[in-house]
mmCIF file with all atom_site columns, all heavy atoms in Angstrom:
data_model
loop_
_atom_site.group_PDB
_atom_site.id
_atom_site.type_symbol
_atom_site.label_atom_id
_atom_site.label_alt_id
_atom_site.label_comp_id
_atom_site.label_asym_id
_atom_site.label_entity_id
_atom_site.label_seq_id
_atom_site.pdbx_PDB_ins_code
_atom_site.Cartn_x
_atom_site.Cartn_y
_atom_site.Cartn_z
_atom_site.occupancy
_atom_site.B_iso_or_equiv
_atom_site.pdbx_formal_charge
_atom_site.auth_seq_id
_atom_site.auth_comp_id
_atom_site.auth_asym_id
_atom_site.auth_atom_id
_atom_site.pdbx_PDB_model_num
ATOM 1   N N   . VAL A 1 6  ? -1.709 13.175 15.445 1.00 93.00 ? 595 VAL A N   1
ATOM 2   C CA  . VAL A 1 6  ? -2.089 11.764 15.374 1.00 93.00 ? 595 VAL A CA  1
ATOM 3   C C   . VAL A 1 6  ? -0.825 10.935 15.550 1.00 93.00 ? 595 VAL A C   1
ATOM 4   O O   . VAL A 1 6  ? 0.247  11.319 15.075 1.00 93.00 ? 595 VAL A O   1
ATOM 5   C CB  . VAL A 1 6  ? -2.798 11.426 14.038 1.00 93.00 ? 595 VAL A CB  1
ATOM 6   C CG1 . VAL A 1 6  ? -1.946 11.778 12.839 1.00 93.00 ? 595 VAL A CG1 1
ATOM 7   C CG2 . VAL A 1 6  ? -3.227 9.980  13.975 1.00 93.00 ? 595 VAL A CG2 1
ATOM 8   N N   . VAL A 1 7  ? -0.946 9.831  16.290 1.00 95.00 ? 596 VAL A N   1
ATOM 9   C CA  . VAL A 1 7  ? 0.234  8.995  16.521 1.00 95.00 ? 596 VAL A CA  1
ATOM 10  C C   . VAL A 1 7  ? 0.293  7.898  15.471 1.00 95.00 ? 596 VAL A C   1
ATOM 11  O O   . VAL A 1 7  ? -0.340 6.852  15.595 1.00 95.00 ? 596 VAL A O   1
ATOM 12  C CB  . VAL A 1 7  ? 0.217  8.385  17.952 1.00 95.00 ? 596 VAL A CB  1
ATOM 13  C CG1 . VAL A 1 7  ? 1.505  7.598  18.191 1.00 95.00 ? 596 VAL A CG1 1
ATOM 14  C CG2 . VAL A 1 7  ? 0.056  9.476  18.995 1.00 95.00 ? 596 VAL A CG2 1
ATOM 15  N N   . THR A 1 8  ? 1.012  8.181  14.391 1.00 97.00 ? 597 THR A N   1
ATOM 16  C CA  . THR A 1 8  ? 1.341  7.158  13.407 1.00 97.00 ? 597 THR A CA  1
ATOM 17  C C   . THR A 1 8  ? 2.681  7.572  12.816 1.00 97.00 ? 597 THR A C   1
ATOM 18  O O   . THR A 1 8  ? 3.278  8.551  13.281 1.00 97.00 ? 597 THR A O   1
ATOM 19  C CB  . THR A 1 8  ? 0.213  6.993  12.357 1.00 97.00 ? 597 THR A CB  1
ATOM 20  O OG1 . THR A 1 8  ? 0.580  5.960  11.450 1.00 97.00 ? 597 THR A OG1 1
ATOM 21  C CG2 . THR A 1 8  ? -0.056 8.280  11.585 1.00 97.00 ? 597 THR A CG2 1
ATOM 22  N N   . THR A 1 9  ? 3.163  6.826  11.818 1.00 97.00 ? 598 THR A N   1
ATOM 23  C CA  . THR A 1 9  ? 4.520  7.124  11.330 1.00 97.00 ? 598 THR A CA  1
ATOM 24  C C   . THR A 1 9  ? 4.506  8.340  10.408 1.00 97.00 ? 598 THR A C   1
ATOM 25  O O   . THR A 1 9  ? 4.518  8.206  9.194  1.00 97.00 ? 598 THR A O   1
ATOM 26  C CB  . THR A 1 9  ? 5.095  5.914  10.571 1.00 97.00 ? 598 THR A CB  1
ATOM 27  O OG1 . THR A 1 9  ? 4.668  4.734  11.227 1.00 97.00 ? 598 THR A OG1 1
ATOM 28  C CG2 . THR A 1 9  ? 6.597  5.979  10.520 1.00 97.00 ? 598 THR A CG2 1
ATOM 29  N N   . ILE A 1 10 ? 4.457  9.510  10.991 1.00 98.00 ? 599 ILE A N   1
ATOM 30  C CA  . ILE A 1 10 ? 4.519  10.742 10.209 1.00 98.00 ? 599 ILE A CA  1
ATOM 31  C C   . ILE A 1 10 ? 5.823  11.453 10.559 1.00 98.00 ? 599 ILE A C   1
ATOM 32  O O   . ILE A 1 10 ? 6.092  11.733 11.726 1.00 98.00 ? 599 ILE A O   1
ATOM 33  C CB  . ILE A 1 10 ? 3.301  11.641 10.477 1.00 98.00 ? 599 ILE A CB  1
ATOM 34  C CG1 . ILE A 1 10 ? 2.071  10.978 9.869  1.00 98.00 ? 599 ILE A CG1 1
ATOM 35  C CG2 . ILE A 1 10 ? 3.505  13.035 9.889  1.00 98.00 ? 599 ILE A CG2 1
ATOM 36  C CD1 . ILE A 1 10 ? 0.775  11.668 10.171 1.00 98.00 ? 599 ILE A CD1 1
ATOM 37  N N   . SER A 1 11 ? 6.604  11.703 9.530  1.00 98.00 ? 600 SER A N   1
ATOM 38  C CA  . SER A 1 11 ? 7.931  12.287 9.737  1.00 98.00 ? 600 SER A CA  1
ATOM 39  C C   . SER A 1 11 ? 8.046  13.614 9.015  1.00 98.00 ? 600 SER A C   1
ATOM 40  O O   . SER A 1 11 ? 7.439  13.818 7.966  1.00 98.00 ? 600 SER A O   1
ATOM 41  C CB  . SER A 1 11 ? 8.997  11.314 9.239  1.00 98.00 ? 600 SER A CB  1
ATOM 42  O OG  . SER A 1 11 ? 8.958  10.122 9.998  1.00 98.00 ? 600 SER A OG  1
ATOM 43  N N   . TYR A 1 12 ? 8.841  14.484 9.596  1.00 98.00 ? 601 TYR A N   1
ATOM 44  C CA  . TYR A 1 12 ? 8.957  15.855 9.095  1.00 98.00 ? 601 TYR A CA  1
ATOM 45  C C   . TYR A 1 12 ? 10.361 16.091 8.532  1.00 98.00 ? 601 TYR A C   1
ATOM 46  O O   . TYR A 1 12 ? 11.336 15.564 9.056  1.00 98.00 ? 601 TYR A O   1
ATOM 47  C CB  . TYR A 1 12 ? 8.626  16.836 10.223 1.00 98.00 ? 601 TYR A CB  1
ATOM 48  C CG  . TYR A 1 12 ? 7.201  16.662 10.711 1.00 98.00 ? 601 TYR A CG  1
ATOM 49  C CD1 . TYR A 1 12 ? 6.891  15.727 11.703 1.00 98.00 ? 601 TYR A CD1 1
ATOM 50  C CD2 . TYR A 1 12 ? 6.162  17.374 10.136 1.00 98.00 ? 601 TYR A CD2 1
ATOM 51  C CE1 . TYR A 1 12 ? 5.577  15.527 12.116 1.00 98.00 ? 601 TYR A CE1 1
ATOM 52  C CE2 . TYR A 1 12 ? 4.853  17.188 10.553 1.00 98.00 ? 601 TYR A CE2 1
ATOM 53  C CZ  . TYR A 1 12 ? 4.551  16.259 11.543 1.00 98.00 ? 601 TYR A CZ  1
ATOM 54  O OH  . TYR A 1 12 ? 3.260  16.064 11.935 1.00 98.00 ? 601 TYR A OH  1
ATOM 55  N N   . PRO A 1 13 ? 10.427 16.898 7.460  1.00 98.00 ? 602 PRO A N   1
ATOM 56  C CA  . PRO A 1 13 ? 11.713 17.100 6.778  1.00 98.00 ? 602 PRO A CA  1
ATOM 57  C C   . PRO A 1 13 ? 12.781 17.689 7.706  1.00 98.00 ? 602 PRO A C   1
ATOM 58  O O   . PRO A 1 13 ? 12.498 18.582 8.504  1.00 98.00 ? 602 PRO A O   1
ATOM 59  C CB  . PRO A 1 13 ? 11.368 18.093 5.663  1.00 98.00 ? 602 PRO A CB  1
ATOM 60  C CG  . PRO A 1 13 ? 9.896  18.013 5.481  1.00 98.00 ? 602 PRO A CG  1
ATOM 61  C CD  . PRO A 1 13 ? 9.328  17.633 6.802  1.00 98.00 ? 602 PRO A CD  1
ATOM 62  N N   . LYS A 1 14 ? 13.980 17.161 7.572  1.00 98.00 ? 603 LYS A N   1
ATOM 63  C CA  . LYS A 1 14 ? 15.085 17.678 8.373  1.00 98.00 ? 603 LYS A CA  1
ATOM 64  C C   . LYS A 1 14 ? 16.399 17.416 7.640  1.00 98.00 ? 603 LYS A C   1
ATOM 65  O O   . LYS A 1 14 ? 16.661 16.279 7.242  1.00 98.00 ? 603 LYS A O   1
ATOM 66  C CB  . LYS A 1 14 ? 15.108 16.966 9.737  1.00 98.00 ? 603 LYS A CB  1
ATOM 67  C CG  . LYS A 1 14 ? 16.117 17.556 10.695 1.00 98.00 ? 603 LYS A CG  1
ATOM 68  C CD  . LYS A 1 14 ? 16.294 16.697 11.929 1.00 98.00 ? 603 LYS A CD  1
ATOM 69  C CE  . LYS A 1 14 ? 17.379 17.290 12.839 1.00 98.00 ? 603 LYS A CE  1
ATOM 70  N NZ  . LYS A 1 14 ? 17.704 16.395 13.941 1.00 98.00 ? 603 LYS A NZ  1
ATOM 71  N N   . THR A 1 15 ? 17.180 18.456 7.496  1.00 98.00 ? 604 THR A N   1
ATOM 72  C CA  . THR A 1 15 ? 18.537 18.246 6.985  1.00 98.00 ? 604 THR A CA  1
ATOM 73  C C   . THR A 1 15 ? 19.323 17.540 8.088  1.00 98.00 ? 604 THR A C   1
ATOM 74  O O   . THR A 1 15 ? 19.223 17.904 9.253  1.00 98.00 ? 604 THR A O   1
ATOM 75  C CB  . THR A 1 15 ? 19.177 19.605 6.633  1.00 98.00 ? 604 THR A CB  1
ATOM 76  O OG1 . THR A 1 15 ? 18.403 20.196 5.584  1.00 98.00 ? 604 THR A OG1 1
ATOM 77  C CG2 . THR A 1 15 ? 20.613 19.433 6.151  1.00 98.00 ? 604 THR A CG2 1
ATOM 78  N N   . GLY A 1 16 ? 20.061 16.520 7.694  1.00 98.00 ? 605 GLY A N   1
ATOM 79  C CA  . GLY A 1 16 ? 20.810 15.770 8.700  1.00 98.00 ? 605 GLY A CA  1
ATOM 80  C C   . GLY A 1 16 ? 19.934 14.823 9.494  1.00 98.00 ? 605 GLY A C   1
ATOM 81  O O   . GLY A 1 16 ? 20.158 14.606 10.680 1.00 98.00 ? 605 GLY A O   1
ATOM 82  N N   . ALA A 1 17 ? 18.929 14.249 8.830  1.00 97.00 ? 606 ALA A N   1
ATOM 83  C CA  . ALA A 1 17 ? 18.036 13.305 9.526  1.00 97.00 ? 606 ALA A CA  1
ATOM 84  C C   . ALA A 1 17 ? 18.818 12.113 10.081 1.00 97.00 ? 606 ALA A C   1
ATOM 85  O O   . ALA A 1 17 ? 18.432 11.529 11.085 1.00 97.00 ? 606 ALA A O   1
ATOM 86  C CB  . ALA A 1 17 ? 16.932 12.820 8.579  1.00 97.00 ? 606 ALA A CB  1
ATOM 87  N N   . MET A 1 18 ? 19.914 11.761 9.426  1.00 97.00 ? 607 MET A N   1
ATOM 88  C CA  . MET A 1 18 ? 20.753 10.666 9.928  1.00 97.00 ? 607 MET A CA  1
ATOM 89  C C   . MET A 1 18 ? 22.056 11.206 10.527 1.00 97.00 ? 607 MET A C   1
ATOM 90  O O   . MET A 1 18 ? 23.056 10.496 10.611 1.00 97.00 ? 607 MET A O   1
ATOM 91  C CB  . MET A 1 18 ? 21.065 9.673  8.800  1.00 97.00 ? 607 MET A CB  1
ATOM 92  C CG  . MET A 1 18 ? 19.849 8.942  8.271  1.00 97.00 ? 607 MET A CG  1
ATOM 93  S SD  . MET A 1 18 ? 18.871 8.103  9.540  1.00 97.00 ? 607 MET A SD  1
ATOM 94  C CE  . MET A 1 18 ? 19.893 6.667  9.837  1.00 97.00 ? 607 MET A CE  1
ATOM 95  N N   . GLY A 1 19 ? 22.013 12.463 10.921 1.00 97.00 ? 608 GLY A N   1
ATOM 96  C CA  . GLY A 1 19 ? 23.190 13.066 11.548 1.00 97.00 ? 608 GLY A CA  1
ATOM 97  C C   . GLY A 1 19 ? 24.126 13.687 10.529 1.00 97.00 ? 608 GLY A C   1
ATOM 98  O O   . GLY A 1 19 ? 23.782 13.834 9.356  1.00 97.00 ? 608 GLY A O   1
ATOM 99  N N   . LYS A 1 20 ? 25.284 14.066 11.007 1.00 98.00 ? 609 LYS A N   1
ATOM 100 C CA  . LYS A 1 20 ? 26.283 14.698 10.128 1.00 98.00 ? 609 LYS A CA  1
ATOM 101 C C   . LYS A 1 20 ? 26.996 13.589 9.358  1.00 98.00 ? 609 LYS A C   1
ATOM 102 O O   . LYS A 1 20 ? 27.954 12.986 9.861  1.00 98.00 ? 609 LYS A O   1
ATOM 103 C CB  . LYS A 1 20 ? 27.292 15.497 10.957 1.00 98.00 ? 609 LYS A CB  1
ATOM 104 C CG  . LYS A 1 20 ? 26.650 16.522 11.892 1.00 98.00 ? 609 LYS A CG  1
ATOM 105 C CD  . LYS A 1 20 ? 26.304 17.811 11.177 1.00 98.00 ? 609 LYS A CD  1
ATOM 106 C CE  . LYS A 1 20 ? 25.895 18.870 12.182 1.00 98.00 ? 609 LYS A CE  1
ATOM 107 N NZ  . LYS A 1 20 ? 24.962 19.848 11.635 1.00 98.00 ? 609 LYS A NZ  1
ATOM 108 N N   . THR A 1 21 ? 26.513 13.332 8.166  1.00 98.00 ? 610 THR A N   1
ATOM 109 C CA  . THR A 1 21 ? 27.030 12.175 7.427  1.00 98.00 ? 610 THR A CA  1
ATOM 110 C C   . THR A 1 21 ? 28.451 12.405 6.893  1.00 98.00 ? 610 THR A C   1
ATOM 111 O O   . THR A 1 21 ? 29.059 11.473 6.361  1.00 98.00 ? 610 THR A O   1
ATOM 112 C CB  . THR A 1 21 ? 26.090 11.811 6.267  1.00 98.00 ? 610 THR A CB  1
ATOM 113 O OG1 . THR A 1 21 ? 25.757 13.003 5.550  1.00 98.00 ? 610 THR A OG1 1
ATOM 114 C CG2 . THR A 1 21 ? 24.815 11.177 6.781  1.00 98.00 ? 610 THR A CG2 1
ATOM 115 N N   . GLY A 1 22 ? 28.965 13.617 7.084  1.00 98.00 ? 611 GLY A N   1
ATOM 116 C CA  . GLY A 1 22 ? 30.364 13.862 6.736  1.00 98.00 ? 611 GLY A CA  1
ATOM 117 C C   . GLY A 1 22 ? 31.308 12.968 7.534  1.00 98.00 ? 611 GLY A C   1
ATOM 118 O O   . GLY A 1 22 ? 32.420 12.657 7.103  1.00 98.00 ? 611 GLY A O   1
ATOM 119 N N   . SER A 1 23 ? 30.827 12.492 8.686  1.00 97.00 ? 612 SER A N   1
ATOM 120 C CA  . SER A 1 23 ? 31.667 11.623 9.518  1.00 97.00 ? 612 SER A CA  1
ATOM 121 C C   . SER A 1 23 ? 31.836 10.224 8.913  1.00 97.00 ? 612 SER A C   1
ATOM 122 O O   . SER A 1 23 ? 32.645 9.440  9.386  1.00 97.00 ? 612 SER A O   1
ATOM 123 C CB  . SER A 1 23 ? 31.067 11.516 10.925 1.00 97.00 ? 612 SER A CB  1
ATOM 124 O OG  . SER A 1 23 ? 29.828 10.834 10.854 1.00 97.00 ? 612 SER A OG  1
ATOM 125 N N   . TRP A 1 24 ? 31.031 9.909  7.892  1.00 97.00 ? 613 TRP A N   1
ATOM 126 C CA  . TRP A 1 24 ? 31.167 8.591  7.236  1.00 97.00 ? 613 TRP A CA  1
ATOM 127 C C   . TRP A 1 24 ? 32.421 8.535  6.353  1.00 97.00 ? 613 TRP A C   1
ATOM 128 O O   . TRP A 1 24 ? 32.852 7.488  5.937  1.00 97.00 ? 613 TRP A O   1
ATOM 129 C CB  . TRP A 1 24 ? 29.970 8.300  6.312  1.00 97.00 ? 613 TRP A CB  1
ATOM 130 C CG  . TRP A 1 24 ? 28.633 8.233  6.946  1.00 97.00 ? 613 TRP A CG  1
ATOM 131 C CD1 . TRP A 1 24 ? 28.285 8.586  8.216  1.00 97.00 ? 613 TRP A CD1 1
ATOM 132 C CD2 . TRP A 1 24 ? 27.416 7.789  6.310  1.00 97.00 ? 613 TRP A CD2 1
ATOM 133 N NE1 . TRP A 1 24 ? 26.936 8.402  8.413  1.00 97.00 ? 613 TRP A NE1 1
ATOM 134 C CE2 . TRP A 1 24 ? 26.384 7.918  7.263  1.00 97.00 ? 613 TRP A CE2 1
ATOM 135 C CE3 . TRP A 1 24 ? 27.108 7.318  5.037  1.00 97.00 ? 613 TRP A CE3 1
ATOM 136 C CZ2 . TRP A 1 24 ? 25.064 7.576  6.971  1.00 97.00 ? 613 TRP A CZ2 1
ATOM 137 C CZ3 . TRP A 1 24 ? 25.804 6.975  4.743  1.00 97.00 ? 613 TRP A CZ3 1
ATOM 138 C CH2 . TRP A 1 24 ? 24.793 7.098  5.711  1.00 97.00 ? 613 TRP A CH2 1
ATOM 139 N N   . ARG A 1 25 ? 32.951 9.730  6.036  1.00 97.00 ? 614 ARG A N   1
ATOM 140 C CA  . ARG A 1 25 ? 33.957 9.851  4.986  1.00 97.00 ? 614 ARG A CA  1
ATOM 141 C C   . ARG A 1 25 ? 35.280 9.198  5.341  1.00 97.00 ? 614 ARG A C   1
ATOM 142 O O   . ARG A 1 25 ? 35.755 9.328  6.468  1.00 97.00 ? 614 ARG A O   1
ATOM 143 C CB  . ARG A 1 25 ? 34.178 11.348 4.739  1.00 97.00 ? 614 ARG A CB  1
ATOM 144 C CG  . ARG A 1 25 ? 34.422 11.745 3.313  1.00 97.00 ? 614 ARG A CG  1
ATOM 145 C CD  . ARG A 1 25 ? 34.283 13.242 3.108  1.00 97.00 ? 614 ARG A CD  1
ATOM 146 N NE  . ARG A 1 25 ? 34.836 14.043 4.177  1.00 97.00 ? 614 ARG A NE  1
ATOM 147 C CZ  . ARG A 1 25 ? 34.148 14.971 4.836  1.00 97.00 ? 614 ARG A CZ  1
ATOM 148 N NH1 . ARG A 1 25 ? 32.897 15.235 4.515  1.00 97.00 ? 614 ARG A NH1 1
ATOM 149 N NH2 . ARG A 1 25 ? 34.715 15.649 5.819  1.00 97.00 ? 614 ARG A NH2 1
ATOM 150 N N   . VAL A 1 26 ? 35.872 8.504  4.374  1.00 97.00 ? 615 VAL A N   1
ATOM 151 C CA  . VAL A 1 26 ? 37.239 8.009  4.512  1.00 97.00 ? 615 VAL A CA  1
ATOM 152 C C   . VAL A 1 26 ? 38.158 8.879  3.645  1.00 97.00 ? 615 VAL A C   1
ATOM 153 O O   . VAL A 1 26 ? 39.239 9.256  4.048  1.00 97.00 ? 615 VAL A O   1
ATOM 154 C CB  . VAL A 1 26 ? 37.344 6.529  4.089  1.00 97.00 ? 615 VAL A CB  1
ATOM 155 C CG1 . VAL A 1 26 ? 38.793 6.041  4.179  1.00 97.00 ? 615 VAL A CG1 1
ATOM 156 C CG2 . VAL A 1 26 ? 36.434 5.658  4.947  1.00 97.00 ? 615 VAL A CG2 1
ATOM 157 N N   . PHE A 1 27 ? 37.661 9.198  2.452  1.00 97.00 ? 616 PHE A N   1
ATOM 158 C CA  . PHE A 1 27 ? 38.402 10.097 1.558  1.00 97.00 ? 616 PHE A CA  1
ATOM 159 C C   . PHE A 1 27 ? 37.631 11.405 1.409  1.00 97.00 ? 616 PHE A C   1
ATOM 160 O O   . PHE A 1 27 ? 36.402 11.398 1.393  1.00 97.00 ? 616 PHE A O   1
ATOM 161 C CB  . PHE A 1 27 ? 38.616 9.443  0.188  1.00 97.00 ? 616 PHE A CB  1
ATOM 162 C CG  . PHE A 1 27 ? 39.602 8.304  0.235  1.00 97.00 ? 616 PHE A CG  1
ATOM 163 C CD1 . PHE A 1 27 ? 39.160 7.000  0.425  1.00 97.00 ? 616 PHE A CD1 1
ATOM 164 C CD2 . PHE A 1 27 ? 40.973 8.549  0.103  1.00 97.00 ? 616 PHE A CD2 1
ATOM 165 C CE1 . PHE A 1 27 ? 40.065 5.953  0.483  1.00 97.00 ? 616 PHE A CE1 1
ATOM 166 C CE2 . PHE A 1 27 ? 41.879 7.509  0.161  1.00 97.00 ? 616 PHE A CE2 1
ATOM 167 C CZ  . PHE A 1 27 ? 41.433 6.201  0.355  1.00 97.00 ? 616 PHE A CZ  1
ATOM 168 N N   . LYS A 1 28 ? 38.394 12.461 1.287  1.00 98.00 ? 617 LYS A N   1
ATOM 169 C CA  . LYS A 1 28 ? 37.799 13.796 1.268  1.00 98.00 ? 617 LYS A CA  1
ATOM 170 C C   . LYS A 1 28 ? 38.053 14.455 -0.086 1.00 98.00 ? 617 LYS A C   1
ATOM 171 O O   . LYS A 1 28 ? 39.198 14.465 -0.558 1.00 98.00 ? 617 LYS A O   1
ATOM 172 C CB  . LYS A 1 28 ? 38.481 14.608 2.381  1.00 98.00 ? 617 LYS A CB  1
ATOM 173 C CG  . LYS A 1 28 ? 37.959 15.994 2.588  1.00 98.00 ? 617 LYS A CG  1
ATOM 174 C CD  . LYS A 1 28 ? 38.713 16.653 3.760  1.00 98.00 ? 617 LYS A CD  1
ATOM 175 C CE  . LYS A 1 28 ? 38.142 18.023 4.058  1.00 98.00 ? 617 LYS A CE  1
ATOM 176 N NZ  . LYS A 1 28 ? 38.802 18.648 5.211  1.00 98.00 ? 617 LYS A NZ  1
ATOM 177 N N   . PRO A 1 29 ? 37.017 15.002 -0.707 1.00 98.00 ? 618 PRO A N   1
ATOM 178 C CA  . PRO A 1 29 ? 37.256 15.693 -1.979 1.00 98.00 ? 618 PRO A CA  1
ATOM 179 C C   . PRO A 1 29 ? 37.882 17.078 -1.733 1.00 98.00 ? 618 PRO A C   1
ATOM 180 O O   . PRO A 1 29 ? 37.398 17.833 -0.893 1.00 98.00 ? 618 PRO A O   1
ATOM 181 C CB  . PRO A 1 29 ? 35.843 15.815 -2.581 1.00 98.00 ? 618 PRO A CB  1
ATOM 182 C CG  . PRO A 1 29 ? 34.918 15.768 -1.408 1.00 98.00 ? 618 PRO A CG  1
ATOM 183 C CD  . PRO A 1 29 ? 35.596 15.008 -0.307 1.00 98.00 ? 618 PRO A CD  1
ATOM 184 N N   . ILE A 1 30 ? 38.941 17.352 -2.448 1.00 98.00 ? 619 ILE A N   1
ATOM 185 C CA  . ILE A 1 30 ? 39.613 18.654 -2.341 1.00 98.00 ? 619 ILE A CA  1
ATOM 186 C C   . ILE A 1 30 ? 39.435 19.382 -3.678 1.00 98.00 ? 619 ILE A C   1
ATOM 187 O O   . ILE A 1 30 ? 39.751 18.839 -4.735 1.00 98.00 ? 619 ILE A O   1
ATOM 188 C CB  . ILE A 1 30 ? 41.123 18.489 -2.047 1.00 98.00 ? 619 ILE A CB  1
ATOM 189 C CG1 . ILE A 1 30 ? 41.347 17.605 -0.807 1.00 98.00 ? 619 ILE A CG1 1
ATOM 190 C CG2 . ILE A 1 30 ? 41.801 19.854 -1.909 1.00 98.00 ? 619 ILE A CG2 1
ATOM 191 C CD1 . ILE A 1 30 ? 40.845 18.169 0.507  1.00 98.00 ? 619 ILE A CD1 1
ATOM 192 N N   . PHE A 1 31 ? 38.896 20.589 -3.579 1.00 98.00 ? 620 PHE A N   1
ATOM 193 C CA  . PHE A 1 31 ? 38.561 21.347 -4.788 1.00 98.00 ? 620 PHE A CA  1
ATOM 194 C C   . PHE A 1 31 ? 39.646 22.378 -5.100 1.00 98.00 ? 620 PHE A C   1
ATOM 195 O O   . PHE A 1 31 ? 40.051 23.151 -4.239 1.00 98.00 ? 620 PHE A O   1
ATOM 196 C CB  . PHE A 1 31 ? 37.204 22.046 -4.562 1.00 98.00 ? 620 PHE A CB  1
ATOM 197 C CG  . PHE A 1 31 ? 36.783 22.940 -5.683 1.00 98.00 ? 620 PHE A CG  1
ATOM 198 C CD1 . PHE A 1 31 ? 36.678 22.455 -6.982 1.00 98.00 ? 620 PHE A CD1 1
ATOM 199 C CD2 . PHE A 1 31 ? 36.490 24.280 -5.443 1.00 98.00 ? 620 PHE A CD2 1
ATOM 200 C CE1 . PHE A 1 31 ? 36.271 23.291 -8.016 1.00 98.00 ? 620 PHE A CE1 1
ATOM 201 C CE2 . PHE A 1 31 ? 36.095 25.120 -6.475 1.00 98.00 ? 620 PHE A CE2 1
ATOM 202 C CZ  . PHE A 1 31 ? 35.988 24.620 -7.765 1.00 98.00 ? 620 PHE A CZ  1
#
Side-chain angles (χ1 to χ4, degrees):
Chain A
V595 57
V596 184
T597 181
T598 323
I599 290 174
S600 297
Y601 298 87
K603 187 190 177 188
T604 297
M607 295 306 283
K609 306 278 190 208
T610 47
S612 66
W613 299 10
R614 217 166 40 235
V615 177
F616 289 93
K617 183 178 184 177
I619 306 295
F620 176 56

